[in-house]
Structure formats: structure tokens, C-alpha cells
Amino acid sequence: MRADEPRRPGAIPSSHPLARHTRLLDIVGDTARVRARGVALGELARIDNEDGERLLARAIELDGDLVTLQVLGGGKGLSSHADVRFLGRPLETVCSASLLGRVFDGTGTPRDGGPELVGERRVPVDGAQVNPVRRRLPQNMIRTDIPMIDVFNTLVESQKIPVFSVAGEPYNALLARIGFQADADVVVFGGMGLVFDDYHFFRHSFEERGVFHRTVMFVSLAGDPVTERLPVPDLALAVAERFAVEEGQRVLVLLTDMTAWADALKEEGITLERIPANRGYMGDLYTQLAQRYERACQFLEGGSVTVLTVTTVPGNDITHPVPDNTGYITEGQFYLHDGVIDPFGSLSRLKQRVIGSGTREDHGQVMNAMIRLFAQAEEAARKQAMAFDLSDWDHRLLRFGALFRSRFMAVDVSMPLEAALDACWQSMAECFRPDELPIRPSLVQRYFPHPERRA
């Protein structure tokens, strides 16, 4: 099997402490029901199909001795005569340095053709939330070398923030760029329902940029059973927490796409005949999302977990249940449309904790001035579109707007924060006089480019 070849998901090693033995009652979609006593919610089971295939399943609903199983390998081809053996433990994942540079599927099984991690320490995926008194207030910036993030909506260590976008936008390219440019110790990537080309793109990008050796990937492909998308965020976050707590690492978790994950939740709810709340999504959507996002944390003693996700917005409707609920949980958003990060739709609610204190003294003033001038440039463009007479100031604003878009807004623009701040000063100097800038005079005197440096 090639390293990048899709594999049949759900296979597990044959050696497990087994308990209880019974048969399936019925199979609906990717769920199956069985009668068994003493089973805990979330407990793992091994299903031995008649054709010899072995799959993992989780107990997701208990009604007396009737247990509903979520078949992680998918219910296709499953026989009602298959044997079910409960393992007496929840879903677990290996947690050691052996994970780095490896790719796993939605059950934690190697997808890269490498060996099983036998004998390594394992930890439960559904761990307890961090005690709030063991958390520390965010205080450090995560540099990404993307100007629209570093300058205008700074990513802060332990922040939880999504990329809002629509289908067809380069959100995966943006996420990959953040992954290999961010100053994190470990990158944990979770892909849910990725087409094979996107999976290959992420892996190739991390390898080509030399960060794959400190990256762990959990990937459920589009051709895999939908149920395999559901454990991916939990696997990624469990591994991230262990690296942060036990190794003191700064861990960046990248998840794409949370809307695909929520759709898998919806499909499971429909299969279980649960009553939907809004557009077919279950009433606990907010809770399910919050349980994952709230695992972002700056630990009092140890490292940190920063969570950056992609949330596609169906029909660009921000009132859609997934982005709508996400907005109440997270600390801002990066709004990607037309191939650029929108400076007006994007927001980092924690950026004020690091701007100026952890970055150059002119950062805050430059950020505010650039956005204010760009807003005026957009107004001048609307006046031009309506054939109004334009003043000299309007023409200079239009030139500034063009410079802003070409130098900062595209997702493929890359430069360190200090170079980006210098580029901001240069852009303002090419269009405006020092006394026209809404910036403190002492900063203008220190950072405004000399005349010979202007274009």
C-alpha cells in the first residue's frame, strides 16, 4: 500500500481485552443496535463482521439494555450476524513523540502506511475540561507572517478563532500557510471529509516547508464513512492537550471543516430519529461546538492550545446555525472572501492583549490608521462609481486603497510583522503627508520614511 493511498477505515489491532459477546439487532445507516448490560456511554466495542472485517464502534445511546452503536468504520456491508465485543474503555489515542510526522484516520489508526504504535501510552479522547483556576490569561502573540492577521487581527496564544468562508475560497491554502508559518512548537491538524487532493495538499505543504516532523495529522476523507468525521476534533485536541500539559509545548490545532463535522452530527441525529431544532441540526449544536472550542487554553503551568478552524458558511448566510453558534463561542473570526481576508468582517477580540505590549510600539496606531484610511478609500471608490467629482484627497485615497489590497490583503502575501509595519508606513508615505496621518506625532517623527525612500 502506498503511503498516500486511501485505506479502509476502522480496522484495529486484534489484541484487546474483550468482554461480553452478543449479536446486532438492527442496522440503520452507520448505527447499529445491540442488547447488552453494564455498558457505559461512550464505551468502545469491536464488531467482527461475517467477512472477517473488524470495526470499531462507540456506544452513543443507552435505553435499558438496548445499546445504540456508532460504527466508526461505517455500516455498509455490515451483517446483522456480526459479533459485538465491548472493550470496557472509551476511545483512546496514543500520546507520545512517536505521533509526530504521522498521519492517522478518524479512529486513530495509521493512514500513512506506517506501523501501529503498539505499546505506547494511550489517553482517553473525551477528557475532562481544564479547571478554570489552572488557566492563565492570554498574553503572547502567535506570529503567522500574514499581514492581515499579524498587523490587523493578531492571533493570540490560546485563542479559539474560526475562518469564515464560502465554498470555492482558498481557505485550505490559508490554513496550510498558517500551519507552516506560525511560530508554534507542534501543529495538530484535523481534516473532516477532505477530498484526497486537499489531504495531499496539506501533507505536501507541511513536508515541503519542513514542519511535518512536528506535525500530527488526523484525516477523514470524503470517501470514508461520515461517522469517522466525528472523532477527529476530539483526537486532535486530546493530543494537543497532552503535548501542552506534559511537554510544555505551544500547540496550534488546525481543523477543517467544522461545518462538515456539524453536518455529520446532524446526519447521526436524523438516523437516531432525534427532533431537530433549526434547519435539521440538533438542539445541542451549541454545546457540541463549545465542548471542542473551549479546550483552547493557556495552562498555568505548561504550554498552550490554540484552536484555529475553518467554518464554511453555506450560501454566505451568516445566520446559518453553524457559523451563528460558532460566533457566540469563539473570540472573533477571520472573514475570507474573494480571495482576501476582509479587514472589516474580521475580528480578533484578544489582539489588544498583545498589541503594543508584545509588539512594536507603533503597532496599534498603525493598525488603526491603516483601517481608517482604507475605509475612506472604499468610500472614495463608491463616489467614483457614482460619477461624483473627486478631490485630490479622494484620488490619493484611491491610490492608497489599491496599495492596501495588493500589498496586504491577498492570502499569499507573507512578511514578518516588523516588515509589514514598515510596509504600512511606506504605503501611507506614498499617498499622504506626515501631518495628514491620524497617528501620534512622536511615532510619525520616528517611523515615517524619509523623502528619498518614497516611491
Side-chain angles (χ1 to χ4, degrees):
M1 178 183 290
R2 296 194 339 264
D4 282 334
E5 183 179 344
R7 59 185 297 283
R8 172 59 172 150
I12 63 172
S14 59
S15 57
H16 286 280
L18 303 180
R20 291 180 297 279
H21 178 278
T22 185
R23 292 180 181 274
L24 299 179
L25 296 178
D26 54 40
I27 304 165
V28 180
D30 292 332
T31 65
R33 293 193 303 170
V34 67
R35 292 198 181 276
R37 294 188 179 277
V39 177
L41 193 63
E43 184 175 341
L44 272 187
R46 194 188 79 186
I47 300 179
D48 296 324
N49 204 10
E50 283 192 314
D51 60 4
E53 184 180 30
R54 285 177 171 170
L55 304 172
L56 280 179
R58 285 198 295 184
I60 58 173
E61 192 174 84
L62 304 177
D63 183 8
D65 65 348
L66 189 62
V67 182
T68 302
L69 297 172
Q70 176 192 80
V71 184
L72 298 180
K76 185 177 181 181
L78 193 60
S79 169
S80 60
H81 295 290
D83 290 335
V84 179
R85 305 166 187 258
F86 289 94
L87 306 181
R89 60 177 176 83
L91 181 63
E92 296 175 335
T93 181
V94 170
C95 185
S96 72
S98 301
L99 288 173
L100 299 176
R102 296 294 305 274
V103 184
F104 303 88
D105 65 12
T107 67
T109 303
R111 183 184 287 280
D112 54 9
E116 293 276 358
L117 300 180
V118 179
E120 299 280 358
R121 186 171 67 93
R122 306 182 72 88
V123 296
V125 168
D126 299 322
Q129 297 296 315
V130 179
N131 189 328
V133 302
R134 306 305 299 169
R135 296 173 180 242
R136 188 155 49 93
L137 289 176
Q139 56 188 5
N140 300 315
M141 172 185 177
I142 293 183
R143 291 171 175 256
T144 66
D145 290 348
I146 298 174
M148 291 306 299
I149 296 178
D150 289 358
V151 177
F152 301 102
N153 284 290
T154 311
L155 181 63
V156 182
E157 192 175 335
S158 80
Q159 191 167 12
K160 46 188 181 291
I161 190 166
V163 176
F164 284 166
S165 185
V166 297
E169 292 291 335
Y171 48 80
N172 283 334
L174 174 62
L175 201 66
R177 180 173 292 273
I178 294 172
F180 59 69
Q181 292 185 175
D183 58 340
D185 299 321
V186 175
V187 176
V188 182
F189 174 83
M192 292 153 281
L194 293 183
V195 298
F196 187 78
D197 286 349
D198 285 340
Y199 158 59
H200 181 74
F201 165 75
F202 278 108
R203 178 166 182 174
H204 178 72
S205 297
F206 294 148
E207 289 176 336
E208 186 179 43
R209 297 293 180 142
V211 301
F212 191 65
H213 68 283
R214 55 182 177 88
T215 300
V216 184
M217 299 181 70
F218 294 95
V219 178
S220 168
L221 295 177
D224 294 340
V226 173
T227 51
E228 281 213 15
R229 301 177 189 177
L230 298 175
V232 169
D234 300 324
L235 289 164
L237 291 164
V239 168
E241 282 184 347
R242 293 297 170 170
F243 276 114
V245 173
E246 298 175 5
E247 305 293 334
Q249 305 277 25
R250 303 169 71 216
V251 186
L252 177 63
V253 178
L254 306 175
L255 300 174
T256 180
D257 164 12
M258 291 303 288
T259 302
W261 179 80
D263 287 342
L265 276 180
K266 178 172 70 172
E267 185 169 323
E268 178 188 85
I270 293 172
T271 301
L272 296 176
E273 298 183 349
R274 293 173 179 167
I275 299 174
N278 187 3
R279 304 195 198 184
Y281 292 91
M282 301 300 112
D284 65 344
L285 177 62
Y286 178 93
T287 302
Q288 295 285 354
L289 290 168
Q291 284 178 346
R292 278 78 190 176
Y293 280 110
E294 290 299 336
R295 295 177 79 169
C297 178
Q298 177 82 51
F299 295 95
L300 191 61
E301 298 172 357
S304 64
V305 175
T306 306
V307 179
L308 181 64
T309 72
V310 166
T311 298
T312 51
V313 184
N316 204 22
D317 179 11
I318 203 65
T319 67
H320 184 276
V322 179
D324 186 37
N325 281 279
T326 300
Y328 287 103
I329 300 166
T330 54
E331 296 148 344
Q333 69 279 329
F334 300 132
Y335 183 35
L336 180 66
H337 68 88
D338 299 327
V340 300
I341 301 176
D342 188 341
F344 303 125
S346 301
L347 171 66
S348 172
R349 294 191 177 95
L350 300 184
K351 63 183 177 182
Q352 300 301 337
R353 297 195 58 82
V354 299
I355 290 179
S357 59
T359 60
R360 211 167 74 180
E361 61 175 343
D362 61 326
H363 186 173
Q365 293 267 305
V366 168
M367 173 189 68
N368 292 331
M370 291 286 289
I371 293 298
R372 184 180 302 179
L373 291 169
F374 185 65
Q376 295 180 40
E378 293 288 276
E379 181 62 29
R382 285 191 286 271
K383 290 167 61 178
Q384 184 182 49
M386 292 185 289
F388 283 98
D389 291 334
L390 301 180
S391 65
D392 174 66
W393 174 254
D394 290 327
H395 284 291
R396 287 189 288 152
L397 284 171
L398 290 173
R399 184 186 178 196
F400 173 79
L403 291 175
F404 189 97
R405 294 186 192 90
S406 63
R407 292 179 178 177
F408 304 105
M409 289 180 65
V411 296
D412 58 351
V413 174
S414 178
M415 65 182 86
L417 173 61
E418 290 73 20
L421 291 173
D422 291 339
C424 290
W425 281 107
Q426 184 64 35
S427 300
M428 290 187 288
E430 292 177 19
C431 303
F432 311 108
R433 300 190 307 271
D435 60 309
E436 293 175 323
L437 300 180
I439 298 178
R440 194 162 62 241
S442 60
L443 294 176
V444 173
Q445 184 177 6
R446 181 172 180 179
Y447 292 102
F448 194 83
H450 297 294
E452 60 270 17
R453 291 178 56 194
R454 301 182 203 167

